[in-house]
Amino acid sequence: MQIQKSYLLLAILLFSIVGCNPKTKQAEQNPSLKKIFKDDFKVGAAINSQQLYGNEPEAVKLIKEQFNAISPENVLKWEPVNPRPDSFDFESSDRYVAFGKANKMFILGHNLIWHKQIPSWVFHNNDGSLADAKQLKQRMRNHIFKVAGRYQGRIDAWDVVNEAVNADGSLRQTNWLKIMGKEYLPLAFQYADSAAPDAELYYNDFDLYKPAKRQGVVRLIKNLQDQGVRVDGIGMQGHWGLNVPDLQQVQKSIDAFSDLGVKIMISELDITVLPRTKDMNAANLATGYSMVHGLDPYKNGLPDSIQTRLANRYAAIFKLFHKNRDKISRVTFWGVNNKDSWLNNWPKSGRTDYPLLFDRNNQPKAAFDSVVKVVE
Ligand code: GLA
């Protein structure tokens, strides 16, 4: 009798943990992207401060369940880490690295040298004039050694230089280039190599499917390689849309970069369903629906037809990645769920976009199912 009672209590307990809690059940039933693609490439997500500080437990649960690589959405950029000369704040980035370590994830450092999200003191003197090459070189060196050096042996790879090339393939006229000349590029990689010899070193940029930009990046990396500079990989960001890019162009870039002997990552994947502001005139809006409903057409929900287009687009994109699994080492989404995506606020703030695989309640979308099916 006593034994039967214990069994009954145990059964009730188990049922209350597993059976009655729909969220637990849901989470347990999700297939896991990192498991599905485990023989192909790592699958990652960019994580934000809210998640790092435990304010979004459902999203954090998803990160642990789905991904084996993380990127810091913002916490390792120059501005938060080194806001004033000789003033470093590593609280959030330490938390980021500890999270990755605790969950045995591939930890990306993003990024060391970029022209955005960088404080003005880096490029300017107190009187507002531009710093000179010697000063800027010293600031670059100091930043890279402090930041990459701090995480040597813990951060697995760095986006050393972000977005240095224009659409036409020429070098972008950033303050780095204006002040230091093109020597800033090999120097950044050399400093990173010395500060973090165990980390992989990457070049990262957007629109790398475009032929002229592809050629510009090939020239850049070849040039660095010719100088004996270590570059281990190229990150193709992947802020894409329902129709753009043409996946044949993506394939051409994968081939061209892989011919350089470097790894390829899809480093910041998301697929916007919204019209872009530069296409504001109605004739150019992305879909018939948005022509009628304007620039924020889906604020009350995504029509099934667009949900299906997004799912099909994700399927086609992942088919391409899977086909190139010998060349692609990681595919990272720029965010976890639709709610937190930067695309809700760019290029126009306050819109409602649906670019990721999980919805605003962290539930898998049709696009998630279609990605899962790619390998089945
Ligand atoms: C670029 C950067 C990222 C991020 C996105 C938009 O792609 O590399 O760090 O800022 O823009 O959020």
Side-chain angles (χ1 to χ4, degrees):
M1 195 57 190
Q2 190 56 40
I3 292 177
Q4 274 177 3
K5 210 170 151 192
S6 317
Y7 275 128
L8 188 66
L9 279 174
L10 189 64
I12 292 172
L13 186 70
L14 279 176
F15 181 71
S16 64
I17 293 173
V18 182
C20 284
N21 182 341
K23 280 192 180 140
T24 312
K25 210 171 162 195
Q26 178 68 56
E28 281 177 0
Q29 284 175 347
N30 284 344
S32 162
L33 296 173
K34 68 179 170 191
K35 290 182 189 150
I36 290 169
F37 293 102
K38 71 176 183 338
D39 298 327
D40 308 323
F41 36 70
K42 293 188 175 64
V43 188
I47 71 179
N48 64 29
S49 304
Q50 290 302 318
Q51 290 148 1
L52 287 174
Y53 282 85
N55 299 332
E56 293 190 358
E58 290 297 317
V60 171
K61 204 159 108 191
L62 267 189
I63 295 168
K64 294 180 186 171
E65 171 190 290
Q66 296 291 328
F67 304 107
N68 50 17
I70 48 171
S71 300
E73 186 170 2
N74 286 304
V75 299
L76 264 168
K77 289 174 180 168
W78 194 308
E79 203 160 51
V81 162
N82 187 187
R84 287 172 298 284
D86 299 320
S87 155
F88 287 83
D89 179 351
F90 290 114
E91 200 198 303
S92 301
S93 50
D94 282 356
R95 208 172 255 264
Y96 164 75
V97 174
F99 178 87
K101 280 282 160 217
N103 294 292
K104 300 190 171 49
M105 291 165 159
F106 181 90
I107 304 173
L108 182 82
H110 171 86
N111 53 57
L112 292 170
I113 299 300
W114 193 24
H115 57 286
K116 288 188 178 162
Q117 293 184 262
I118 184 163
S120 144
W121 66 262
V122 179
F123 300 119
H124 296 96
N125 299 311
N126 288 339
D127 63 5
S129 58
L130 272 191
D132 64 33
K134 195 167 158 227
Q135 283 170 314
L136 189 55
K137 183 172 166 183
Q138 182 52 36
R139 287 171 190 169
M140 172 194 267
R141 187 180 192 288
N142 190 41
H143 181 80
I144 293 180
F145 273 79
K146 276 267 173 29
V147 182
R150 180 183 185 87
Y151 298 112
Q152 153 63 2
R154 289 187 288 157
I155 282 192
D156 296 293
W158 276 99
D159 286 340
V160 178
V161 176
N162 200 30
E163 303 180 350
V165 176
N166 287 317
D168 67 1
S170 61
L171 289 182
R172 188 189 286 277
Q173 277 294 322
T174 62
N175 279 329
W176 292 111
L177 185 68
K178 271 187 222 152
I179 299 171
M180 288 176 66
K182 59 182 191 297
E183 191 213 6
Y184 92 88
L185 293 154
L187 264 182
F189 280 91
Q190 280 158 349
Y191 289 152
D193 189 22
S194 307
D198 297 340
E200 292 187 351
L201 307 180
Y202 304 151
Y203 175 73
N204 191 56
D205 210 332
F206 62 93
D207 282 358
L208 292 190
Y209 61 88
K210 292 187 172 165
K213 191 154 180 174
R214 171 198 309 141
Q215 283 151 21
V217 169
V218 166
R219 276 197 304 274
L220 167 65
I221 303 303
K222 264 201 184 130
N223 186 272
L224 292 171
Q225 291 173 330
D226 289 348
Q227 297 178 61
V229 173
R230 175 164 74 90
V231 181
D232 300 302
I234 297 178
M236 301 174 66
Q237 290 186 3
H239 299 295
W240 294 341
L242 288 173
N243 302 315
V244 177
D246 171 352
L247 296 186
Q248 286 181 359
Q249 294 299 337
V250 176
Q251 180 67 59
K252 285 189 179 162
S253 294
I254 292 174
D255 293 340
F257 298 152
S258 136
D259 285 348
L260 295 166
V262 298
K263 291 186 177 179
I264 297 167
M265 284 74 52
I266 307 300
S267 55
E268 307 184 12
L269 183 62
D270 45 28
I271 313 284
T272 185
V273 298
L274 296 181
R276 281 280 149 96
T277 44
K278 64 176 177 206
D279 303 331
M280 271 198 196
N281 89 52
N284 284 334
L285 295 184
T287 64
Y289 191 91
S290 42
M291 280 173 71
V292 176
H293 292 87
L295 291 173
D296 189 16
Y298 312 125
K299 55 178 181 287
N300 300 320
L302 196 62
D304 286 348
S305 59
I306 309 289
Q307 194 79 263
T308 305
R309 273 181 69 190
L310 181 68
N312 293 342
R313 177 77 168 148
Y314 259 115
I317 285 171
F318 266 80
K319 266 184 202 141
L320 179 85
F321 296 162
H322 192 248
K323 192 173 110 197
N324 287 282
R325 58 193 179 278
D326 55 329
K327 299 178 181 132
I328 294 176
S329 64
R330 173 170 55 87
V331 175
T332 290
F333 292 87
W334 204 245
V336 178
N337 61 45
N338 289 341
K339 177 172 74 67
D340 293 333
S341 169
W342 71 297
L343 289 167
N344 295 307
N345 292 303
W346 189 91
K348 183 176 160 47
S349 66
R351 298 200 294 175
T352 308
D353 208 344
Y354 299 79
L356 297 164
L357 300 188
F358 297 94
D359 70 13
R360 286 174 161 69
N361 298 313
N362 294 298
Q363 298 302 309
K365 300 165 32 177
F368 175 85
D369 299 337
S370 70
V371 166
V372 165
K373 284 200 196 110
V374 163
V375 274
E376 271 175 5

